[in-house]
Amino acid sequence: MKEFFKSGDLFIWMTGLGLGVSLVMITGILYLIIINGSDYFWPQNIVKVETNDGRAYIGQKMTTEKIPLANMDDSLHSKGLKRVQFKVGNRELYGFDFLWLDESEIKKIDENPKNALCFERMEFGNFFGYLQNIYRDTTPVAKNQANALKILPNYLDIASNLRSEIKIIEKDEIGSINYKIEGLRTKIKKVEYENKHTKDHKIIEEKSKPFYAEIDNFQNGYTKLQEKIDSLNKIAKTYSIKLTTAAGDTTTIPLINIFHYYLPNEMGFFGKLGFAFTKIYEFIFDEPRESNTEGGVFPAIFGTIMLVLLMSIAVVPFGVLAALYLREYAKQGFLVRTVRIAVNNLAGVPSIVFGIFGLGFFIYTVGGTIDKLFYPELLPTPTWGTGGILWASLTLALLTVPVVIVATEEALATIPRGIREASLALGATKWQTMKKIILPAAAPGILTGLILAMARAAGEVAPLMITGVVKLAPSLPLDWNLPFIHLDRKFMHLGFHIYDVGFQSPNIEAALPMVYMTTLLLIVIVILLNITAMKIRTNLRKKYKTSVF
């Protein structure tokens, strides 16, 4: 037995067991996320349920569970009764999206009601019902229900094209005009600030006159575009559909408010699969709607990736230079050991502490100083003295710089001393040796630190909440307006999106599939970023055989 312990086989097997358990746990978590999030993409069949008291609903059967003992009579505890959750939608009629019914309350469940539809709307969630007819103004355009179902896709395409045209005008054309008008107003404020001590107001008026003239021209363009939008909205509102519920209630919905519709009971497996792929595409590339509980998460994806890239650009030079100085240039002694201890301790500081530091130093101190020096005419409204993607990136760079420093020092320590001495003996300076020999050879280890830094930064939320992240950002930090990259803007982030939808949503049950899928997407993005960095690291390892990383 003593020889067995000395051989180390036990520890090898224990390590393998730990790795196996970790893999099983990771696989289980991913399976749980995928299964719970699949409801967001997969079109479930619609059922019709009738209760003993005469009520009727149609919707999707979500889950069945035992009735909690606290909700039952003592006499019923031993019977193991269950309750069923239905997603019934029609929020404007019922005031709720989900309905729990005890088995004892259910009279009948029709598993395949004919012509039952689910309409995904721009607001108010899903509507489950039966299509009666399509209307242009107040005139029905279909001969009967079957004909209405047949021509519905054509009319939805018309409404979708109108909605897209309105969105393009509002977001691109009017957005560009508003941005330019805001820039001109800033110039006017600058003129007023520079001449605030001038008693002759005609000087200010004369200098501001060209800016006011440009604003008037843009206002005229804005008015024409707004008239065009009003005209398109007027046309869109002429198209509507008449729907009835399982209980026979009737309602009318404008077609422009309908995003999707489907008849899941009449869709085969491949039809549902195609619909799921369409939903996945929309989830990745569309913008959020319904308080972030519906639609896509593209702004959050963009914000997350841009944040990580900016953080990487900031953290690598500082981390590498700090490690290079500590390892290669600084005289080893008490001070250097103290600095290393401080760096290691920084890695264990809670992230919210870094967030508070970023708020106080980057936003209030640096940003506030920039505003006083370069944008005094806009004060007290801050330009850089408020949260933005630049300050959030620098805060995360401070958070992750200890990881890069430690990894870089370890990589530098693995470079044989003989290589340094050979380079110096051939006449190279110390900096040339560092630049041409040591740093390239240590690059795989540096990338190891960057990979760890990216993985941590992508999932951080606490420091971002006070340095620039928001629930919904009207504009991306990157657009076609000069200077194209707007580092002072607020941004969205997948981690904060998960927190917001999961814990701040007014309709948490409806938002749960979105929470799971956003979580899976964040994991995928972190994996892709890491794979890219690891691929670069592998190529560098092949090039510089002296590195053990």
Side-chain angles (χ1 to χ4, degrees):
M1 183 61 70
K2 187 180 292 185
E3 293 297 324
F4 176 72
F5 278 105
K6 286 184 178 180
S7 67
D9 290 344
L10 174 64
F11 301 103
I12 294 174
W13 283 103
M14 291 294 290
T15 303
L17 177 63
L19 176 62
V21 171
S22 299
L23 290 175
V24 170
M25 292 176 65
I26 292 170
T27 304
I29 290 172
L30 291 176
Y31 176 77
L32 176 69
I33 292 172
I34 293 171
I35 292 300
N36 284 280
S38 62
D39 291 341
Y40 185 76
F41 301 116
W42 194 261
Q44 296 188 37
N45 283 358
I46 297 175
V47 301
K48 180 179 179 180
V49 57
E50 298 179 16
T51 62
N52 295 327
D53 57 2
R55 292 175 294 160
Y57 304 95
I58 61 170
Q60 295 167 333
K61 187 177 179 181
M62 303 303 294
T63 185
T64 302
E65 64 178 34
K66 288 185 178 180
I67 300 175
L69 298 180
N71 295 354
M72 281 197 301
D73 237 35
D74 291 340
S75 59
L76 300 175
H77 282 181
S78 61
K79 295 187 177 181
L81 296 179
K82 296 181 180 180
R83 62 179 183 178
V84 186
Q85 185 189 45
F86 297 92
K87 183 178 182 180
V88 296
N90 307 9
R91 194 185 306 161
E92 69 273 31
L93 299 178
Y94 305 141
F96 49 80
D97 284 298
F98 291 85
L99 174 69
W100 284 98
L101 290 175
D102 295 349
E103 285 184 332
S104 58
E105 296 179 280
I106 299 173
K107 178 182 178 182
K108 178 184 177 184
I109 296 181
D110 183 356
E111 297 288 349
N112 190 25
K114 191 177 180 182
N115 295 330
L117 294 98
C118 173
F119 292 92
E120 293 183 14
R121 298 181 288 178
M122 299 298 294
E123 54 186 15
F124 295 114
N126 292 354
F127 190 98
F128 296 94
Y130 303 97
L131 177 65
Q132 294 302 308
N133 213 324
I134 304 170
Y135 287 82
R136 177 74 187 269
D137 291 325
T138 57
T139 306
V141 298
K143 299 176 183 178
N144 49 47
Q145 187 182 34
N147 182 241
L149 284 171
K150 186 176 180 180
I151 64 175
L152 179 59
N154 298 329
Y155 282 90
L156 276 177
D157 287 341
I158 294 172
S160 178
N161 291 335
L162 288 169
R163 185 172 59 245
S164 298
E165 190 174 353
I166 292 170
K167 182 180 178 181
I168 290 172
I169 294 172
E170 288 179 339
K171 187 172 181 180
D172 296 339
E173 299 181 40
I174 289 182
S176 178
I177 287 176
N178 286 335
Y179 183 80
K180 291 173 181 176
I181 289 175
E182 190 61 32
L184 291 168
R185 287 174 177 164
T186 300
K187 291 179 180 179
I188 292 171
K189 289 180 180 179
K190 187 173 183 180
V191 170
E192 292 174 349
Y193 179 80
E194 291 174 348
N195 298 274
K196 62 182 177 180
H197 298 299
T198 303
K199 295 182 179 180
D200 189 359
H201 295 287
K202 290 184 179 179
I203 296 176
I204 298 176
E205 292 176 5
E206 193 65 30
K207 290 183 177 180
S208 303
K209 192 173 181 180
F211 302 134
Y212 281 114
E214 288 188 63
I215 288 175
D216 289 340
N217 289 333
F218 283 126
Q219 288 284 12
N220 292 333
Y222 177 90
T223 302
K224 291 178 181 178
L225 290 173
Q226 190 59 53
E227 289 174 354
K228 187 176 180 180
I229 289 175
D230 293 339
S231 175
L232 291 172
N233 275 321
K234 189 175 181 181
I235 295 171
K237 288 179 181 178
T238 61
Y239 296 97
S240 62
I241 54 174
K242 184 178 180 181
L243 303 171
T244 57
T245 66
D249 299 319
T250 302
T251 187
T252 301
I253 302 175
L255 274 176
I256 197 171
N257 289 341
I258 295 176
F259 194 77
H260 270 310
Y261 89 97
Y262 56 95
L263 292 87
N265 296 357
E266 299 178 17
M267 297 168 67
F269 173 79
F270 290 104
K272 291 184 176 181
L273 186 64
F275 183 86
F277 279 116
T278 301
K279 289 281 289 181
I280 291 172
Y281 178 85
E282 291 169 357
F283 177 72
I284 296 173
F285 294 103
D286 276 5
E287 295 181 352
R289 62 179 192 274
E290 278 285 301
S291 297
N292 289 352
T293 61
E294 298 285 349
V297 292
F298 177 74
I301 296 173
F302 186 92
T304 303
I305 294 175
M306 187 172 180
L307 177 79
V308 172
L309 292 178
L310 289 173
M311 182 275 302
S312 302
I313 293 171
V315 75
V316 171
F318 286 103
V320 171
L321 288 174
L324 189 63
Y325 178 79
L326 290 173
R327 174 61 60 175
E328 303 292 339
Y329 288 92
K331 184 179 180 181
Q332 303 302 310
F334 174 76
L335 182 60
V336 171
R337 288 197 300 272
T338 304
V339 171
R340 285 201 178 99
I341 292 172
V343 168
N344 292 330
N345 287 338
L346 276 176
V349 173
S351 60
I352 189 64
V353 175
F354 285 94
I356 294 170
F357 175 82
L359 177 66
F361 179 72
F362 291 124
I363 297 177
Y364 291 156
T365 303
V366 179
T369 303
I370 292 173
D371 284 347
K372 289 177 183 178
L373 294 176
F374 301 102
Y375 304 96
E377 66 277 5
L378 298 179
L379 294 174
T381 303
T383 303
W384 290 94
T386 184
I389 193 167
L390 175 61
W391 305 138
S393 301
L394 293 179
T395 302
L396 288 186
L398 285 179
L399 174 68
T400 54
V401 73
V403 178
V404 177
I405 291 175
V406 172
T408 303
E409 277 209 78
E410 292 297 325
L412 292 172
T414 62
I415 309 300
R417 185 176 181 82
I419 292 179
R420 296 173 175 82
E421 293 174 347
S423 176
L424 294 172
L426 291 171
T429 64
K430 189 166 186 178
W431 170 242
Q432 287 174 330
T433 302
M434 293 298 111
K435 181 181 176 182
K436 300 291 186 180
I437 306 296
I438 304 303
L439 284 178
I446 296 171
L447 282 173
T448 298
L450 178 60
I451 291 168
L452 295 173
M454 288 193 304
R456 183 176 181 186
E460 286 292 347
V461 176
L464 303 182
M465 293 173 68
I466 51 180
T467 55
V469 76
V470 291
K471 176 186 177 73
L472 185 63
S475 302
L476 295 176
L478 185 67
D479 59 25
W480 294 108
N481 295 316
L482 286 172
F484 306 121
I485 299 177
H486 309 273
L487 299 180
D488 59 319
R489 285 184 181 174
K490 302 287 194 295
F491 66 101
M492 295 181 67
H493 185 270
L494 286 172
F496 182 77
H497 189 272
I498 293 168
Y499 162 76
D500 175 66
V501 175
F503 298 97
Q504 303 296 315
S505 173
N507 193 359
I508 293 177
E509 284 185 308
L512 278 178
M514 170 72 85
V515 172
Y516 283 109
M517 291 316 300
T518 307
T519 303
L520 179 63
L521 182 61
L522 179 58
I523 293 171
V524 170
I525 288 175
V526 171
I527 291 173
L528 290 176
L529 288 171
N530 288 351
I531 288 174
T532 303
M534 286 189 287
K535 179 66 176 175
I536 298 172
R537 183 181 65 182
T538 302
N539 293 336
L540 289 172
R541 278 180 179 173
K542 293 177 181 177
K543 186 175 180 181
Y544 302 102
K545 298 294 185 180
T546 56
S547 176
V548 299
F549 281 88

